[in-house]
Amino acid sequence: QVHLVESGGGLVQAGGSLRLPCAASGRTFSMYAMGWFRQAPGKEREFVAAISWSGGSTYYADSVKGRFTISRDNAKNTLYLQMNSLKPEDTAVYYCAARVRLGVPVQIEGYDYWGQGTQVTVSS
């Protein structure tokens, strides 16, 4: 089992920044890719960003490309999402996810473990 806990969410004005950490525990040695997803009220959960185990490969949704940066520190078992130039449409619950198989998917179905989510609200 892998346990994931997100933090760092909150209320921020448009144009501001937030950094979301996701701490992993348990069988972390079995993790490969990790990703961030988000779900806005009344909408389906959507892909935000993903990163390979080494950090050498990263993938982003078009809506966040150039504004968000995903990174990971394997020594600390922590995944990060740096969010800059935030917009009201970025308001959502943000979830981190981990995969224990090879590959770096962008689909929800590609991930095996999920955190409980952290709320990000961007005011205009």
Side-chain angles (χ1 to χ4, degrees), residues 91-111:
T91 294
V93 177
Y94 283 71
Y95 299 89
C96 73
R99 176 178 170 91
V100 296
R101 296 160 284 161
L102 292 176
V104 190
V106 300
Q107 301 86 1
I108 293 173
E109 297 76 16
Y111 290 85

Side-chain angles (χ1 to χ4, degrees), residues 69-82:
T69 302
I70 188 171
S71 62
R72 65 192 294 172
D73 185 336
N74 289 337
K76 295 182 178 180
N77 292 321
T78 302
L79 176 73
Y80 301 96
L81 184 67
Q82 177 66 45

Side-chain angles (χ1 to χ4, degrees), residues 32-109:
Y32 286 95
M34 296 189 76
W36 286 98
F37 291 76
R38 66 186 182 186
Q39 187 166 16
K43 295 187 177 180
E44 294 186 351
R45 193 171 298 189
E46 65 176 6
F47 169 75
V48 175
I51 188 168
S52 61
W53 183 88
S54 68
S57 297
T58 56
Y59 306 87
Y60 296 92
D62 288 342
S63 58
V64 306
K65 203 170 293 183
R67 301 187 297 122
F68 290 11
T69 302
I70 188 171
S71 62
R72 65 192 294 172
D73 185 336
N74 289 337
K76 295 182 178 180
N77 292 321
T78 302
L79 176 73
Y80 301 96
L81 184 67
Q82 177 66 45
M83 304 186 295
N84 298 328
S85 302
L86 283 161
K87 304 175 181 180
E89 51 263 44
D90 294 318
T91 294
V93 177
Y94 283 71
Y95 299 89
C96 73
R99 176 178 170 91
V100 296
R101 296 160 284 161
L102 292 176
V104 190
V106 300
Q107 301 86 1
I108 293 173
E109 297 76 16

Side-chain angles (χ1 to χ4, degrees), residues 12-29:
V12 63
Q13 288 188 332
S17 298
L18 280 177
R19 189 190 196 204
L20 305 182
C22 171
S25 60
R27 297 174 62 88
T28 57
F29 60 87

